[in-house]
Amino acid sequence: MGLVMEKQVPPEPAVRRNMGKSESQMDIMEKSGKPGKRRWTVAEISLSILLLLVSCALAGLVVLYTSAVKEQSNRPSVSKSSTREGQLFRSDHNNVCTTADCVSAAAWLLQNMDKSVKPCDNFYQYACGGWLERHVIPETSSHHSVIDILRDKLEIVLKGVLETESEQDRDAVKKAKVLYSSCMNESLIEQRDSQPLLRLIESIGDWPVASDDWNTTTGETWSLEDTLATLTARYHKKVLLDMNVWTDDQDSRRHIICFYFNLQISAERVMKRDVQRRNQTHGFIGKI
């Protein structure tokens, strides 16, 4: 019995699933498997462009500010600010006035000081010692101060204003100039003599000392109230009583009308004179 030998064929490998498919189909499948990129909308693109422009503008401003600060620090910084009287030059670093008026005022203050004295020892001498050395009390005055010097300068300025005529003056200025010219007209004052004063006294009720028959002519109709009212209203002279408006001491939110006697200075003078007379009398009696 003959043996028949058959050729044993090995089993074929497993066929891949993608067998039989083209390369294009495989690429499409791979691309479809990956997640797709999201496209930007028009609003997002506009906002991004706007943000980029703003960032560029801010960067430009920072560069300009830095360059301006460097230029200002390199050159002498003096700013000009116009005023009514002229140009005022001030330093931007320490804000010190350098006009002619400021320099002269500073020099005047330094001249009035006495730096040889310590301010804690004698502040008055330290602040006013230089002024005391350079000024002397005039023979025509009992005192002398900065206020007196300023008053003299003011009188010179007022003299020039009152002696200058102008059509644009207000009524108050015109009246002041008329009063000044009448006071300076010495020839007319000497010519009139005491007649204006006597007429003034007669208009307010006459003066018993200057009248021989005051009791029979004016004394019967004379009234203290009417005389005080005339002096206050027409001549603005408060003889016995004075009135003013002040803040209430008990309530600062209110204002009160204050009445007070206007003879306090006169009373003090009379009391001083009485004391002097008494001292003189006692001294005279002691000598006897």
Side-chain angles (χ1 to χ4, degrees), residues 92-155:
D92 290 338
H93 295 290
N94 48 12
N95 197 20
V96 176
C97 178
T98 57
T99 60
D101 294 335
C102 292
V103 173
S104 60
W108 182 72
L109 291 175
L110 291 175
Q111 290 177 357
N112 295 338
M113 297 172 61
D114 185 5
K115 294 185 178 180
S116 62
V117 180
K118 295 182 179 180
C120 296
D121 297 338
N122 191 343
F123 184 78
Y124 180 77
Q125 183 65 26
Y126 171 78
C128 305
W131 192 89
L132 295 174
E133 292 180 357
R134 293 184 292 106
H135 293 82
V136 181
I137 299 177
E139 297 179 356
T140 58
S141 179
S142 60
H143 63 278
H144 191 60
S145 64
V146 178
I147 297 176
D148 298 325
I149 298 175
L150 295 177
R151 185 183 293 110
D152 295 338
K153 294 182 179 179
L154 179 61
E155 289 179 356

Side-chain angles (χ1 to χ4, degrees), residues 37-49:
K37 294 182 180 180
R38 185 175 63 85
R39 295 182 179 180
W40 287 16
T41 62
V42 177
E44 292 176 348
I45 296 173
S46 302
L47 290 175
S48 301
I49 295 173

Side-chain angles (χ1 to χ4, degrees), residues 242-258:
D242 199 354
M243 179 184 67
N244 207 338
V245 179
W246 294 94
T247 304
D248 191 358
D249 297 335
Q250 299 180 357
D251 188 359
S252 60
R253 296 173 297 178
R254 299 188 310 171
H255 291 78
I256 58 176
I257 301 176
C258 300

Side-chain angles (χ1 to χ4, degrees), residues 40-190:
W40 287 16
T41 62
V42 177
E44 292 176 348
I45 296 173
S46 302
L47 290 175
S48 301
I49 295 173
L50 182 61
L51 181 61
L52 180 61
L53 293 176
V54 172
S55 302
C56 294
L58 290 176
L61 291 175
V62 170
V63 172
L64 291 175
Y65 177 76
T66 305
S67 61
V69 170
K70 289 182 178 179
E71 291 180 359
Q72 191 174 7
S73 60
N74 292 333
R75 62 184 179 182
S77 56
V78 177
S79 63
K80 299 180 180 180
S81 58
S82 58
T83 58
R84 295 181 181 179
E85 298 180 355
Q87 296 294 327
L88 181 64
F89 298 92
R90 293 183 181 273
S91 174
D92 290 338
H93 295 290
N94 48 12
N95 197 20
V96 176
C97 178
T98 57
T99 60
D101 294 335
C102 292
V103 173
S104 60
W108 182 72
L109 291 175
L110 291 175
Q111 290 177 357
N112 295 338
M113 297 172 61
D114 185 5
K115 294 185 178 180
S116 62
V117 180
K118 295 182 179 180
C120 296
D121 297 338
N122 191 343
F123 184 78
Y124 180 77
Q125 183 65 26
Y126 171 78
C128 305
W131 192 89
L132 295 174
E133 292 180 357
R134 293 184 292 106
H135 293 82
V136 181
I137 299 177
E139 297 179 356
T140 58
S141 179
S142 60
H143 63 278
H144 191 60
S145 64
V146 178
I147 297 176
D148 298 325
I149 298 175
L150 295 177
R151 185 183 293 110
D152 295 338
K153 294 182 179 179
L154 179 61
E155 289 179 356
I156 296 174
V157 175
L158 288 177
K159 183 176 182 296
V161 172
L162 294 174
E163 292 180 351
T164 304
E165 296 182 359
S166 178
E167 297 180 355
Q168 299 179 354
D169 291 339
R170 299 181 179 180
D171 294 338
V173 178
K174 292 180 180 179
K175 292 178 181 179
K177 290 183 177 181
V178 171
L179 179 61
Y180 175 77
S181 60
S182 64
C183 294
M184 297 303 295
N185 193 355
E186 298 179 357
S187 60
L188 183 60
I189 293 175
E190 294 178 357

